[in-house]
Amino acid sequence: MAGVPRTWVRLPPPPPCFYMRSITHILALLVVLFLAALPAQAQPAGTVTFSFDGNVAQVPRFGSRIELMPVLQLIGAQAGYSQAAGTYVIQLGNHQIQITPQVRFALVDGELEKTNDAAVVSPGGIAVSESYLDRVILSPFAYHLERSGAGYRIAPGAMVAPVVTVRAAAADFGTTTTLVLTLSRHVAVTVTAGAGRELLVHFSDARPQLDGSLPMRSRRIVAIRAAANTLKIELAPGQGLLASHQLTGPDRVIVEVGRRPPTPVPTPVARARKPKRPTIVIDPGHGGADSGAVSASGLEEKVVSLAVATRLATLLKRDGYVVRLTRAGDETRALTDRTALANRLDAVAFISLHANASTVSSVRGAETYYMSLHDATDAHAAETARKENAAGAPGRRGGSQLDLILWDMAQARVLNRSALLALDIQRQLNSFLDLPDRGVKQAPFVVLTGATMPAVLVEMGFLSNPAEAGQLADPAYRQRLAEALARGIEEFLRSSS
Amino acid sequence: MIRRVLLIVAVLVALAAIAFWALRPGGFARKTTASLTPVPAPTPTPAPETRVMLLFPGTDGALHPELRTVPLPAELNQRVRVIVSQLLAGPTARLLPVAGYPARLLDVFIDGRGNAYVDLSSPPQPLTGSFNELMLAYSIVDSVLLNCQELKGVQLLFDDHEVQTLTGHLDLSRPLALNKSFIAAQ
Ligand SMILES: [Zn+2]
């Protein structure tokens, strides 16, 4: 019987002749058994003393955890259980926390938060660890746990600064870049120039957490990192802080970045001189420890993608393009590093090559994808911009409302051109493979996120389909595939130049 | 006679066990401490039979609709559970299963921003191929969003964990919006 506490009273086994007696005796035994179990639960093995605002409660332990309900009662929180959702709803003041036993997530004021451990079902309803109580339950209510003798004191003030989610978006203009940091709530911030090429955005009494959902498209901002109460923004060489201001409704920090006139930083010669011939970055998918899909005969996606990429590079170089591969051999490369290389080289196109797999072996065909514009967070950003325009929110700078729109437009322009590149490549693949046109599709691919140039992902065929796996293993087929891809890329570049 | 008595004893013990489990505070009649004011739990209403459109992958790499009449609860979280469970149960027509492995629905959360989080059991062996990833994600995302208009996005979780990607292609680290490019043209 799972769930019965260890203090369950065990009666000695009855003698065999017992069963021969009347059913009344058996019923009596069951009642005794049942009643014996009840008080056993009301007195768990150990308790922990909790004090809050002069009141004290003895809170029962449940294994390594403590019962939550008496603690909530002590601080005056309301709690309820939604049977439909299997969730406990805890309310105090304006804050609401929803927790589900056995789940390492909690909804804190409507935001999903990861937790280090899970709450569990207990005799008192639900039990949590001390750290869970402190971080997940008490912190949103601006309380924290303090050791007090053998027990705890619940004291005011959140131990860890509450999180503020930051969504970063950047737009490059002629000589400046506008960085828009959208905050999930109002927090006072100060923006200062840090050491070297770093900008520091300091949050008072809040821990910034980067949303990372919007692609960063900037040549002047290299990276953004969150560290404790600060957001560190790494700038490209020669760039500095020009201005910053904070806006409300929605809460945003606008940071202007550009070349600082008084202290010109010498830029490397290589960066100043742009390559005369356009650069194309080809990304052989997967590599190193990540083999990708594998055919029944053992042919690996990483091998196929590199083989076709190498042939494609040779063809494009022959036609006068500068070509760089994101990996030259069987190496592991982070997905974000691949697009970053293309951004750094100011490439005119980014092509990620892959071979597909399905659990159904009859599935076959090639397909070209490009980045999705209409994902939930982009829609959210657009909605924010619309809302601000409708409300006519006062911006200290007239351009602030325009920034988001311009950023949206810049993003839309890159996506439109990605769609054209995808269409040109798919058209060539269709005629080469003689397959019915499936059109091109959009989705948020990790490797395409953040690309500042037309970027596509090509699935060249299914390794799970025996016929296509055979073709993808054939050097002559790989060559013809590379030729079709080169025709598509060059057609796009010719028509767009 | 002995056998009969033993049988009755067995039945009674089972009944007592069920009653004991049900009445204990952590049982299905779980209650919060009496003095706490309970937040009203959603009242269970009989779910009316509703026609839902489920999207299943085809061998053409597109999602194809299958109409099913199912009891659909009014409560959003429950509705998402029904849609996903129906999808995981598999197609009836000549379409493909949503997941390339026997995926189970572990949980569903709804946040305050119109996003649903669908927690699935993770694949026993790592999946490969963008096809498997795209079909699994958008069967669920598009089916849920088409049948639950109040939602804006759906994020897939695996074994209670957020993942960046499942096969190294699609970004699953955030909620996905309705993607009509995968829905087959009629
Ligand atoms: Zn791949």
Side-chain angles (χ1 to χ4, degrees):
Chain A
M1 243 175 93
V4 176
R6 280 186 205 104
T7 44
W8 168 268
V9 176
R10 289 183 192 282
L11 295 180
C17 64
F18 181 86
Y19 300 116
M20 298 300 288
R21 295 186 190 158
S22 71
I23 288 172
T24 326
H25 282 88
I26 298 161
L27 275 174
L29 166 70
L30 287 171
V31 168
V32 168
L33 241 160
F34 192 64
L35 291 176
L38 289 180
Q41 288 187 80
Q43 294 164 357
T47 59
V48 189
T49 308
F50 276 81
S51 67
F52 172 74
D53 206 14
N55 297 319
V56 174
Q58 295 299 325
V59 178
R61 280 200 170 279
F62 180 66
S64 62
R65 291 178 168 82
I66 41 176
E67 291 285 359
L68 180 59
M69 288 307 165
V71 180
L72 296 179
Q73 202 172 6
L74 186 66
I75 62 170
Q78 296 186 323
Y81 177 68
S82 160
Q83 205 135 8
T87 301
Y88 284 83
V89 184
I90 302 158
Q91 189 116 29
L92 184 65
N94 293 327
H95 300 284
Q96 195 193 62
I97 307 168
Q98 291 183 36
I99 54 177
T100 312
Q102 322 296 352
V103 168
R104 284 165 185 256
F105 283 99
L107 271 181
V108 178
D109 292 331
E111 299 266 346
L112 198 70
E113 270 191 22
K114 272 183 261 188
T115 58
N116 291 334
D117 62 333
V120 297
V121 173
S122 65
I126 187 162
V128 296
S129 66
E130 272 98 339
S131 71
Y132 190 100
L133 177 66
D134 195 16
R135 284 166 182 275
V136 185
I137 312 278
L138 295 177
S139 175
F141 300 147
Y143 293 128
H144 72 273
L145 273 189
E146 268 173 19
R147 278 247 167 232
S148 162
Y152 290 101
R153 190 172 82 88
I154 298 171
M159 195 58 133
V160 282
V163 166
V164 57
T165 311
V166 181
R167 191 180 295 119
D172 288 342
F173 301 102
T175 54
T176 63
T177 290
T178 302
L179 174 69
V180 183
L181 302 171
T182 308
L183 314 182
S184 57
R185 60 189 169 83
H186 181 76
V187 178
V189 306
T190 47
V191 183
T192 53
R197 292 188 274 124
E198 226 170 38
L199 285 189
L200 303 176
V201 183
H202 180 79
F203 291 71
S204 55
D205 199 29
R207 257 180 321 135
Q209 207 167 69
L210 277 168
D211 179 311
S213 58
L214 289 179
M216 279 294 301
R217 300 169 193 283
S218 174
R219 298 200 183 118
R220 297 186 185 90
I221 296 167
V222 178
I224 303 183
R225 275 181 295 274
N229 287 19
T230 309
L231 214 58
K232 293 181 175 176
I233 302 166
E234 192 193 329
L235 303 178
Q239 306 299 324
L241 175 67
L242 294 181
S244 74
H245 51 272
Q246 206 168 351
L247 296 173
T248 53
D251 288 298
R252 281 181 295 145
V253 181
I254 315 290
V255 182
E256 293 287 332
V257 173
R259 211 169 282 273
R260 271 174 302 183
T263 50
V265 182
T267 46
V269 183
R271 271 194 82 82
R273 208 186 295 143
K274 279 201 167 186
K276 286 172 197 120
R277 292 178 300 160
T279 303
I280 298 168
V281 171
I282 301 166
D283 171 44
H286 309 274
D290 172 20
S291 304
V294 185
S295 78
S297 63
L299 178 60
E300 295 171 321
E301 179 181 356
K302 65 175 181 180
V303 173
V304 176
S305 65
L306 183 60
V308 178
T310 312
R311 287 168 187 275
L312 176 58
T314 307
L315 293 169
L316 293 172
K317 277 179 193 164
R318 186 197 62 192
D319 295 342
Y321 294 97
V322 175
V323 184
R324 282 285 297 271
L325 298 189
T326 55
R327 63 178 177 98
D330 185 15
E331 301 142 30
T332 306
R333 282 273 179 284
L335 292 170
T336 45
D337 288 351
R338 299 173 189 239
T339 338
L341 174 74
N343 287 351
R344 219 165 33 242
L345 294 173
D346 202 9
V348 292
F350 176 84
I351 293 102
S352 187
L353 297 179
H354 292 253
N356 221 333
S358 165
T359 44
V360 180
S361 64
S362 62
V363 178
R364 60 191 297 254
E367 225 154 3
T368 312
Y369 300 98
Y370 67 105
M371 192 67 186
S372 161
L373 173 70
H374 303 287
D375 69 271
T377 39
D378 286 354
H380 180 79
E383 192 184 310
T384 304
R386 263 202 308 279
K387 236 188 276 171
E388 194 191 343
N389 285 333
R396 225 181 290 169
R397 216 169 58 84
S400 67
Q401 290 168 24
L402 202 60
D403 291 342
L404 268 181
I405 298 162
L406 285 175
W407 183 81
D408 277 348
M409 281 168 63
Q411 194 188 29
R413 198 164 51 232
V414 170
L415 289 181
N416 283 341
R417 300 191 62 222
S418 296
L420 294 175
L421 173 60
L423 280 167
D424 281 332
I425 289 176
Q426 187 64 29
R427 197 175 305 128
Q428 292 298 330
L429 287 175
N430 288 338
S431 64
F432 164 63
L433 297 163
D434 197 24
L435 285 173
D437 185 20
R438 286 186 183 182
V440 295
K441 289 166 188 160
Q442 281 182 278
F445 288 96
V446 183
V447 78
L448 303 183
T449 303
T452 55
M453 74 294 302
V456 297
L457 186 146
V458 185
E459 288 288 358
M460 302 180 290
F462 280 81
L463 284 170
S464 50
N465 178 277
E468 288 194 344
Q471 289 174 324
L472 290 168
D474 174 21
Y477 185 88
R478 288 174 180 174
Q479 182 63 27
R480 284 186 290 138
L481 198 53
E483 284 164 8
L485 292 168
R487 276 198 299 276
I489 296 163
E490 291 182 13
E491 200 170 288
F492 164 77
L493 292 173
R494 262 197 306 276
S495 61
S496 67
S497 64
Chain B
M1 174 62 189
I2 295 173
R3 194 179 284 180
R4 220 174 113 194
V5 170
L6 280 174
L7 195 73
I8 292 165
V9 169
V11 169
L12 282 170
V13 166
L15 282 174
I18 292 165
F20 171 73
W21 185 80
L23 288 173
R24 80 195 171 93
F28 62 71
R30 230 175 279 156
K31 269 182 264 160
T32 55
T33 314
S35 55
L36 295 173
T37 318
V39 175
T43 40
T45 41
E49 293 273 319
T50 311
R51 228 147 92 103
V52 294
M53 188 171 84
L54 303 173
L55 295 164
F56 288 99
T59 53
D60 58 353
L63 298 171
H64 297 262
E66 190 180 298
L67 292 170
R68 246 178 237 183
T69 304
V70 294
L72 199 65
E75 207 268 317
L76 185 57
N77 187 302
Q78 293 298 306
R79 218 177 328 142
V80 175
R81 281 168 200 263
V82 169
I83 302 291
V84 178
S85 303
Q86 286 287 329
L87 283 169
L88 295 180
T92 53
R94 278 189 306 168
L95 293 169
L96 307 179
V98 163
Y101 65 99
R104 283 174 298 114
L105 175 62
L106 302 180
D107 222 322
V108 169
F109 316 89
I110 313 281
D111 73 6
R113 291 193 292 186
N115 294 315
Y117 298 82
V118 173
D119 189 4
L120 300 177
S121 60
S122 55
Q125 277 110 35
L127 278 186
T128 60
S130 66
F131 178 88
N132 285 325
E133 192 169 34
L134 289 165
M135 293 296 105
L136 170 61
Y138 283 114
S139 290
I140 293 175
V141 171
D142 285 358
S143 298
V144 167
L145 294 178
L146 285 172
N147 290 290
C148 305
Q149 305 275 340
E150 56 270 67
L151 289 175
K152 284 191 293 188
V154 176
Q155 183 173 347
L156 297 186
L157 310 174
F158 292 90
D159 282 341
D160 302 342
H161 284 81
E162 234 174 38
V163 297
Q164 198 206 13
T165 174
L166 194 60
T167 70
H169 306 91
L170 190 59
D171 183 357
L172 296 173
S173 69
R174 53 186 165 141
L176 295 169
L178 182 70
N179 188 340
K180 288 182 180 162
S181 70
F182 284 93
I183 302 174
Q186 290 302 298

